[in-house]
Every structure is written in structure tokens, then in C-alpha cells.
Amino acid sequence: MMRVLLKNHFRMFMNTVKTQELKGYASYIISFAVLGILLYFVSGGIWSLADLITDPVLEGLLSYAFMAVIGLIVLLGTPQVFKHLFSMSDLTLLFTLPIKTRNIFWIKYMQSFVGIPLFASLFILLPAILYGIASGASYLFYPVLIFVLLAMVLIGLSLAYLFNLLLVQIVPASRANELMTVMSVFSGLIVYMVFMLPNMTGEQTLLEKMLAGLPLFPKWVPMTWGSHAILEAANGSMGFALPLLLLIMLAGIFIFITSSIVERGFRTGWIRLSEGSNTKKKKRNQKQTTKLHHPIQAVARKEWLAVKRDIREWLVLMPILFFIIFGTVGFLTGGGKLSSLQGYHAISWPIAQGVLLFIYAMSNGMVAASSIGREGAAMWILRLIPVSGRDLAFGKLLVSWLLPFILLTTIEVIIGVLLGWTIPQFVLGIVVKAVITMGISSLGLYLGTIGAKYHPTNPQQRLNFGVSILLMIVSYVYLILALLPFGYMILPVDEITLPANLDHGITGFKGMIVTFVLKAVQLKMSYPTLMWLVGAVVLLIIAGGITWLFSKLSARKLNQGIKIDIVNESSAKPLFGKRNTGGSLY
Amino acid sequence: MSEKAIQISGLTKAYGRNEAVKHIHLDVQKGELFGFLGPNGAGKTTTIKMMTGLLEPSEGTIELNGVDIWKEPIKAKQLISYVPDQPNLYPKLTGWEYLEFISSVFRMEKDTYEKNANELLAIFGLKDRADELIESYSHGMKQKIAICGALVHDPDILFLDEPTVGLDPKSARNLKNLLRSRCDDGMTVFITTHILEIAEQMCDRIGIISHGDIIALGTMDELRALEGGSAGSLEDIFLELTGDEAQQAVIKEMSEQDSGVSP
């Protein structure tokens, strides 16, 4: 049976390769080229440094590399495994055929090898082989290296499978898709913390420890067994046997545990998820809850409900969370104390404004752009209902602007209270950011209308790659532009002294700029209130203008009809008949 | 019945050199239940999408109650509703919330909305499930809530693309009765279906499209007359008109066999 299944998969793979469009082949070639270049540089470095790498350094390097392999497989492989085990479209067919669940499971397990585990292994295998050749390692080195690497991959992969098979038993079926995404984020955080462990165990940094040949991990962890076995093998010693054996045994135990819960975890898990949940009833008191709204509000409400009810939608705001977590951890582990920041609000406030605006630039545009792709296959409704593009644009803009604004303003207020900011600082900061961020959101919304994308199982993929890069660039360009008048408004003129003679001797365009800046500062010093107002007006013109322009452009695009690229599981062209990649709506 | 609800002239949709819909002319009267039939790929859905503003025609005009949908889209869309064959709705809204959303954008009065929504949900047996998220609905239930959404604001013209697919027999019958009664009250219905009995029983007039051309148009009697005044069913007429020579030979053979065995 396994042969039949393998043959079937091989055929599907070949057909996929054969039926790729030119774009598909190009992406393969580019990916391989990038991979090749990276491997070339890594291998080149290893080749030239092979003589300088001492045994303890090599042991540390290998331990760390093995941890990276396991970490990468757990981090990136977990969602992949979930897809293979529970959401592949062929499972319905396979489970109705007279095939043992175990066979289906092992096919999926093998499938999982292609991808992250393969790439991660290649990145260790090839440079390590080159090291072996360059350093004249014993012939034992090569087979031991392969066995150790294979064991590490199997451990990582089994962990990803175990994680999925156990999780599917405890997660409510209706929340499985969402929780998988959240779990990926948390597995990312855990892997990050694990990677940071060597940093936290002593005074020295990881690099210092590695170069000094100090052990990075305790002796009992499998990464140390693996690196020790390879080192012994490289020196031609039979001392590799015990750690290698232990490692293979450990991999075997992991595989055994995984396979022993296949029947319970895989088939029943898939059935639970396929059944879904029909218990999501909302209590409704009709007289109280029935409320009809203005079309803009109706669109905004629809957007809000979609975001509120899908945890995955909130992942667009993950950068904010990361900034807060890593920023706080970094500050506290660096010996910082809150009391040392209090009382310096003239410094802490402008810095906080800059950081917050940077976070807004990172998230606001994406939140707004996502609101277009979110329509997905339901876009036909918006095209059919008698609502103008302007109302649609405002409804979407409202929610996508308000959501990060409320979140970040809450954080800002907490920070401000802790740091003792003044009331005018609070008010000015919040009002100015409200104005500036509207511009970012409208830019995002417009770019959403020209590059919308929808992936049914991945709500993060709402924007085409090129457009998302463009969004990042324009958000920051706009932010810099809007920051100029804001910076001018809050310029601490009391702290500045200008020379009596403003002749700077710089000519040309640069000179013009310098003169302009100096004159502006001089004016601000002479007429602080008036110039503050001028700054505010310029800011309003820039931010308001951008908001107006891009909302109008978005409305026009919405009136014309948006094309959303619907991502299919396979982007290959059909073997026969017309080419049709993905799908666009109308 | 003299007022034109739908007026199509010279409607064409071309993809490169291939014309999916070829210069069709069609009028549907107010209060008429019009059936639009055709084999797979004949151009039914393309036509209906152009009529509802979802697909831009290459040529021609479409007027709905005298309003050109491509010149005054918002005004025209105030008049219509559409239920596609695969209604993709908002998965994270409940049935009630979806109806509220539709009613809000059509600026309905709260009382009218509540009355209509309750009535429609009761007809389609969705009252008990209307508080659940649409993502938990079966295909048939999604179809039903889409139909409720299409009818809740009392449109002047209703477009239905294969509406009975996925509906249970009771709901299909309820829909049939509902459409008939709404048409008697003045609503115009433009329906595509593969179930020819439904078209035969329900529709005032029938249009048959094949390869982008309307090849037959009229009442059942007119269509029979077109086929030489036979007393055949719509199925016979449909197959006769849309089948190629080989298919027609098979149909003829089967008809002869049928008459041979019949007492």
C-alpha cells in the first residue's frame, strides 16, 4: 500500500512540476539561486577557516546548529504538519479508501521531510562535509554526520507531529485553525527564548562562549551528544559510538511515541475538525440587539465582527506585541529601572512619540490593506449592494484606523502615567498621532485595493508581495514627511542657541536647505506660538491631504471593482485546457 | 405586464476573440418570472453577472427598470438582488447579523426589516440557526440565508443563479411558491436552473442560451410551437435545441425505444 501511495504522490509531484507556469519556474530558479549563493558563502567561509576551528569551537558550533535545526522544524514545521495531517483536501478521499490510517500517516510524515527539514539539513550537511575535507577528517566523520543530522531532523519532526497530535485532542474543533496560528507565534517565542538560553547562563555572550570553546549546553542534551559523536568520528576515535547510539535511540523513542498515538490523534482528530462545531450560538435578545445602521457604520461593524471573531486577524498587530515584550525584556535585563526614566518627560515624551509612530507606520497600513483582502470570496456582496465606494472606504478605514489607535493609545497612556508626562503632552501626542496615522491607514487602504490577495487558510496573506514592500516604503516616507512639521511644533527652542551670524557658507541646493532650516528655527525662537500654529497647519495639510487623496482613490477603485487574487492550494496550470492560476473575483 | 423590468440590447462579453455572450437582446416584463436555461458553459452565469454589475460587458447595455447598471450602478443596485450559485458569505457573521448588514445598506426601516426577516427565516426553517455563525452552516443553509438576504429588502428584480442547488425538497418548494407569489405582487425574477421541471412549472417565459446566443425565447406554448407544435416537455425541447447531431440521434433513439415499450 505504501508503494501505491508513494507512487501516487510522486505522480502528483511530477504533474505539479510539469504544469508550472513560467512564473513558477522562475521562482524555483530564483529560490535555488539564492540558496546556492548562501550555501556558497557559508561553505567558502568554512573552507577558509577550517584550520582555525578547534575541536571545542566545532563542538559548540555543531550543538548550536543542531538546536537551530530542531528549533526551525518545530517553529516552521508545526503549521506545515497541521496542514498535512488535518487540512489537506485529499484526506477525505484517503479515509474513504481501504487504506490503513498508519499508512496515510507515514506518507504524510515522509511528505513533511521535503521543505524546512530538507533545507535545514542541507545548510549543515554541505558546509560540514566541506569542513571534513578541508580539515582532513577521518572517513568515519561523514556517515556519523549524516546519521546525527537525520536523528536531529527526526526528533524535530516528531516534536512537531506530537505537538499537533496532542493539541488536536484538547483544542475545540471550531478554534483549531485560529489556535494553530497563535500556537505558531508562541512556539516562535519559545524557540526565541531557548535560543537566548546560552546568553542568560553566564556573563559572556554566545559568540564569546563559542569562540572560547566553552560548552553552550549541558552534557545531557541531545545536541551535545550529536556534536560529541561527530567530533570523535572526525578524529577517528570510536568514542562516537555511545553518543550516536543514544541519539538514535532517542529519535527512535520519539518516532515510537508519535506513531503510537496515530490512530487516536490523526484519524479521530481529523474527524473532530471536519465535523466542526455547531454550538456557536449567540444569545440574542431580539428587541435589544436589532439595530440598523448607516451604511458606513454597517460596513465598519461587519469589519469589526470579522476581526473580533478570528484570533488570526489580530496577528497583524503582532509587531506591536513583539516591540513591547522585547523592548521591556531588553530594558529590564539591561539593568534599567523605571525610576531612572521618571521626571525626564521632556526627553521621554518625544522619544516615545517617535517609537509609537514607527510602530504605527509598521502596522496601520497593513491593517487597512488587509481589510480589502479580507473580503475574499465574499467580495461579490460589496459589488452588488447599493453602497458607494466612498462609504465602503470610510467604513473600512474607520475600523482599520481605530483598532491600532485604541490599542496604542491605551499603551501610551499607561507609559505616560508611569513616566509622569504632563496633560498637554498627552493631548498633543494623541491628537497629532490620530491625524498622522489616518494618512498611513488611507495609504494602506489604497494599496489594499490594488494588490489584494486572499488565502483561505492564512489570513496573514492579504497583500501581494510587491505591494506589501511598496506599502512599507510609502508608510515610512509619509511618516518622515509628516514628522517634519510635528518636529518643528515640539522643537525645544529654549534649549537652542543660534549664532548671531547665520551665514553658513554652503552654496547650492544644500545651502538653500540649511538657510531654510536656520530661518525656521529663528522664526520659532522669535514667535513660538505662531510658528507652532504654522507647524500644526502644515501637518494638517500633509496628513489631511494624504488621507483625503488616498481615501478618494480607494473609493474610486472600490467603485470600479476590486480584484482579489484568491490563492489556491496549487498555483499550477491544469494539465489540459486553459491556464488558470489562482483566481480573481470578477 | 407591459412595463419592462429588464432590457438588454446587444450584450456581448468577449475574452480575446472568444465571445462568451454574443450580442443578445432580451426584454423581461415587470412581474415576470423568467427562466434562463442553457447547457454548461453556454453563457448563463456570464450574462447574469453582467446584469448584476459583477462583470463588465464588452458591448451592449443593460437597463433595470430603466436604469443602466453600468452608468448608474448605485441607483440600479438599489433595485436588485442576486443569489449566486455558490454564495460565499461572511463566515464570521451570524445569520441575523448578515441580514442586519444587508438591511442597513438598503436603509430599511427597522420594523419592516424585522417583519421581513422573521417571515423569511421562518419560511426557510432557519429561525433556530440564525444566531449561529455562517461558517457553521451547511451549503444548503448558506444558500437559504443568501436567499433571505436577497429578499429581505423587497427588491424590484431578483436574479437567481441555480437557486435550488443544495436545497432540500421542502425548501425548494417553499422557494418556488414564494417566488410565484412575489412575482404576482410585482417583483421580477430572472432565474437560471438546470432543473427543467421547475422552469416548466414556474416560469412565465423561458429563454434558452447556447454558445452565447439566445436560440429560443417564449412561453412554453411558444417554444412547443417552435419545435413543430409537439406536446413534448421542456426537457425534449431543450435537448432538441441545444444538443448536437450525435446527441439528437441518441435522444431520437431513446424516444423510439420509449414508445416501443410503452403500452
Side-chain angles (χ1 to χ4, degrees):
Chain A
M1 188 52 71
M2 287 296 281
R3 244 180 56 192
V4 176
L5 289 171
L6 276 173
K7 194 176 164 189
N8 188 42
H9 270 87
F10 179 72
R11 271 191 182 154
M12 286 193 289
F13 170 74
M14 289 310 288
N15 285 342
T16 310
V17 172
K18 274 186 214 161
T19 56
Q20 282 297 318
E21 290 202 336
L22 199 62
K23 208 165 71 177
Y25 288 122
S27 67
Y28 285 149
I29 291 167
I30 292 167
S31 308
F32 281 118
V34 170
L35 189 74
I37 291 166
L38 274 172
L39 267 175
Y40 173 78
F41 280 113
V42 173
S43 307
I46 297 281
W47 184 263
S48 53
L49 292 173
D51 290 341
L52 302 171
I53 300 173
T54 60
D55 282 0
V57 172
L58 178 68
E59 199 168 352
L61 268 174
L62 285 171
S63 300
Y64 198 74
F66 293 142
M67 192 183 71
V69 169
I70 295 176
L72 265 178
I73 294 173
V74 172
L75 179 65
L76 304 175
T78 304
Q80 282 295 317
V81 168
F82 181 82
K83 193 178 133 193
H84 281 140
L85 284 186
F86 304 117
S87 65
M88 289 293 267
S89 50
D90 64 343
L91 287 166
T92 313
L93 173 69
L94 290 175
F95 280 132
T96 57
L97 297 176
I99 305 170
K100 283 180 186 163
T101 307
R102 199 165 290 274
N103 287 343
I104 303 172
F105 174 80
W106 286 116
I107 284 293
K108 298 289 169 196
Y109 195 93
M110 284 181 216
Q111 253 183 299
S112 313
F113 261 96
V114 184
I116 306 295
L118 192 69
F119 282 112
S121 309
L122 269 179
F123 261 88
I124 293 182
L125 191 66
L126 293 181
I129 288 175
L130 274 177
Y131 166 81
I133 297 167
S135 64
S138 157
Y139 68 91
L140 283 172
F141 171 82
Y142 305 100
V144 171
L145 172 71
I146 291 169
F147 278 117
V148 168
L149 202 53
L150 193 66
M152 293 294 174
V153 170
L154 287 174
I155 290 171
L157 210 51
S158 298
L159 276 173
Y161 269 83
L162 272 174
F163 214 10
N164 275 287
L165 290 171
L166 293 175
L167 193 92
V168 80
Q169 301 302 318
I170 49 171
V171 172
S174 59
R175 288 280 174 191
N177 280 332
E178 296 164 51
L179 271 178
M180 278 312 296
T181 316
V182 175
M183 197 180 71
S184 310
V185 174
F186 282 105
S187 58
L189 280 173
I190 291 164
V191 170
Y192 170 79
M193 295 297 179
V194 171
F195 269 84
M196 289 296 110
L197 269 181
N199 278 339
M200 295 174 184
T201 51
E203 291 290 307
Q204 290 150 307
T205 64
L206 172 79
L207 191 66
E208 283 167 350
K209 272 188 192 171
M210 208 182 266
L211 292 177
L214 292 170
L216 299 180
F217 302 100
K219 280 191 175 172
W220 52 268
V221 298
M223 286 84 84
T224 313
W225 304 345
S227 56
H228 192 66
I230 291 173
L231 204 68
E232 293 288 338
N235 293 327
S237 155
M238 290 305 284
F240 74 86
L242 187 64
L244 180 64
L245 197 67
L246 279 172
L247 195 65
I248 290 172
M249 272 172 65
L250 187 72
I253 291 168
F254 268 104
I255 293 172
F256 174 75
I257 297 170
T258 312
S259 65
S260 63
I261 56 168
V262 163
E263 194 59 45
R264 170 108 188 88
F266 179 31
R267 190 151 197 275
T268 54
W270 179 80
I271 291 167
R272 278 188 73 231
L273 293 184
S274 310
E275 278 171 355
S277 163
N278 288 326
T279 55
K280 284 183 177 179
K281 284 199 176 186
K282 277 179 70 215
K283 282 202 170 176
R284 180 189 173 90
N285 182 340
Q286 214 178 301
K287 284 202 169 154
Q288 281 178 2
T289 54
T290 299
K291 203 177 168 193
L292 300 184
H293 311 266
H294 182 275
I296 295 179
Q297 282 174 292
V299 172
R301 185 166 181 268
K302 172 191 87 63
E303 292 295 311
W304 163 240
L305 291 176
V307 174
K308 193 180 85 172
R309 290 174 182 167
D310 195 338
I311 303 165
R312 294 173 299 177
E313 298 280 353
W314 293 87
L315 288 181
V316 180
L317 300 170
M318 276 311 282
I320 298 173
L321 189 71
F322 278 120
F323 258 87
I324 294 162
I325 292 174
F326 296 142
T328 315
V329 168
F331 178 70
L332 294 176
T333 55
K337 282 180 189 160
L338 187 66
S339 57
S340 57
L341 287 178
Q342 283 168 337
Y344 297 99
H345 55 79
I347 299 169
S348 67
W349 182 78
I351 292 173
Q353 301 310 305
V355 172
L356 285 166
L357 280 167
F358 175 78
I359 299 174
Y360 273 120
M362 207 162 53
S363 55
N364 259 44
M366 197 44 97
V367 175
S370 299
S371 70
I372 302 290
R374 181 180 302 131
E375 294 299 329
M379 190 67 203
W380 67 275
I381 301 174
L382 292 192
R383 292 209 60 191
L384 196 76
I385 55 177
V387 177
S388 66
R390 191 198 62 179
D391 286 1
L392 289 176
F394 282 146
K396 284 179 175 290
L397 193 64
L398 185 68
V399 169
S400 52
W401 168 76
L402 207 56
L403 212 63
F405 186 70
I406 291 173
L407 191 74
L408 280 172
T409 304
T410 312
I411 294 167
E412 183 178 359
V413 169
I414 296 168
I415 294 172
V417 169
L418 287 173
L419 298 182
W421 292 349
T422 62
I423 300 284
Q425 281 181 326
F426 271 116
V427 175
L428 181 66
I430 291 169
V431 170
V432 166
K433 282 200 294 301
V435 173
I436 292 180
T437 53
M438 265 190 216
I440 306 174
S441 293
S442 63
L443 277 167
L445 189 71
Y446 175 67
L447 289 175
T449 63
I450 60 170
K453 183 174 155 183
Y454 180 78
H455 194 297
T457 55
N458 189 353
Q460 281 75 60
Q461 288 187 31
R462 292 275 168 78
L463 205 53
N464 290 327
F465 178 71
V467 181
S468 57
I469 298 288
L470 186 67
L471 172 64
M472 203 172 69
I473 295 167
V474 293
S475 297
Y476 284 108
V477 169
Y478 161 75
L479 183 65
I480 291 166
L481 208 66
L483 270 177
L484 293 175
F486 183 40
Y488 187 61
M489 283 164 73
I490 60 170
L491 189 73
V493 279
D494 301 341
E495 313 292 327
I496 299 171
T497 40
L498 281 180
N501 184 7
L502 291 183
D503 285 342
H504 44 70
I506 306 169
T507 53
F509 182 69
K510 274 185 195 170
M512 213 167 73
I513 298 280
V514 174
T515 308
F516 177 77
V517 170
L518 288 172
K519 281 276 178 208
V521 174
Q522 198 179 33
L523 278 170
K524 180 82 198 275
M525 290 167 88
S526 312
Y527 313 101
T529 314
L530 182 68
M531 287 301 115
W532 187 93
L533 281 172
V534 169
V537 169
V538 174
L539 176 66
L540 271 176
I541 290 171
I542 293 174
I546 290 286
T547 308
W548 175 81
L549 177 69
F550 283 94
S551 302
K552 203 173 162 66
L553 287 173
S554 308
R556 190 191 288 175
K557 288 294 288 182
L558 283 161
N559 277 332
Q560 286 166 351
I562 304 292
K563 271 196 170 184
I564 300 179
D565 284 338
I566 305 287
V567 180
N568 285 341
E569 287 295 323
S570 156
S571 61
K573 69 181 186 229
L575 265 175
F576 309 101
K578 278 194 274 183
R579 287 178 173 208
N580 185 17
T581 62
S584 303
L585 284 162
Y586 314 128
Chain B
M1 291 273 284
S2 58
E3 214 177 313
K4 284 173 187 169
I6 302 171
Q7 203 174 357
I8 294 175
S9 45
L11 189 67
T12 303
K13 183 67 197 178
Y15 297 99
R17 286 183 186 173
N18 178 32
E19 285 188 339
V21 174
K22 299 170 185 167
H23 304 278
I24 62 170
H25 295 267
L26 177 68
D27 291 341
V28 179
Q29 306 303 320
K30 190 171 185 288
E32 195 173 17
L33 209 162
F34 185 86
F36 200 48
L37 314 179
N40 293 335
K44 298 188 297 292
T45 303
T46 307
T47 307
I48 218 168
K49 278 183 178 169
M50 287 193 282
M51 293 163 85
T52 49
L54 295 174
L55 190 69
E56 197 166 359
S58 308
E59 278 175 39
T61 57
I62 304 151
E63 285 186 11
L64 306 171
N65 277 1
V67 182
D68 188 321
I69 188 150
W70 288 97
K71 285 186 183 147
E72 294 176 277
I74 301 290
K75 199 174 168 191
K77 286 173 189 176
Q78 291 278 8
L79 309 169
I80 64 166
S81 263
Y82 169 51
V83 181
D85 52 348
Q86 294 283 335
N88 287 301
L89 307 170
Y90 299 117
K92 295 291 177 189
L93 294 188
T94 66
W96 271 115
E97 286 165 351
Y98 175 67
L99 297 184
E100 272 178 28
F101 170 69
I102 295 292
S103 306
S104 293
V105 296
F106 277 92
R107 312 236 184 171
M108 287 180 74
E109 291 295 325
K110 191 183 156 194
D111 293 343
T112 320
Y113 154 69
E114 280 185 350
K115 187 180 143 285
N116 290 358
N118 277 308
E119 191 184 296
L120 287 164
L121 289 172
I123 290 173
F124 289 103
L126 274 182
K127 261 196 149 167
D128 292 340
R129 307 288 302 270
D131 287 332
E132 293 172 29
L133 294 183
I134 290 174
E135 68 182 2
S136 70
Y137 284 13
S138 67
H139 175 74
M141 286 168 69
K142 283 180 187 159
Q143 189 80 13
K144 286 184 208 173
I145 199 75
I147 295 170
C148 291
L151 286 168
V152 74
H153 58 93
D154 287 325
D156 290 353
I157 306 167
L158 175 65
F159 293 93
L160 297 160
D161 196 359
E162 300 288 350
T164 47
V165 174
L167 290 189
D168 53 74
K170 192 182 164 202
S171 302
R173 171 172 285 220
N174 286 344
L175 175 67
K176 222 165 71 176
N177 296 339
L178 186 67
L179 292 181
R180 190 63 267 170
S181 83
R182 291 288 175 105
C183 283
D184 294 342
D185 292 341
M187 189 172 84
T188 309
V189 175
F190 189 99
I191 182 171
T192 73
T193 180
H194 274 121
I195 304 172
L196 300 179
E197 287 90 342
I198 289 179
E200 194 169 359
Q201 288 165 22
M202 283 169 64
C203 298
D204 300 315
R205 273 197 316 147
I206 288 162
I208 299 176
I209 186 170
S210 180
H211 300 293
D213 275 322
I214 292 183
I215 53 169
L217 184 66
T219 61
M220 268 307 291
D221 288 340
E222 285 167 347
L223 292 181
R224 284 194 189 104
L226 191 77
E227 275 308 292
S230 70
S233 66
L234 180 59
E235 188 179 6
D236 297 330
I237 299 167
F238 179 83
L239 292 173
E240 190 72 29
L241 288 168
T242 59
D244 57 21
E245 278 178 22
Q247 274 177 314
Q248 284 177 12
V250 174
I251 295 162
K252 197 177 170 193
E253 182 75 15
M254 283 169 74
S255 310
E256 280 169 6
Q257 276 177 10
D258 281 351
S259 41
V261 291
S262 56

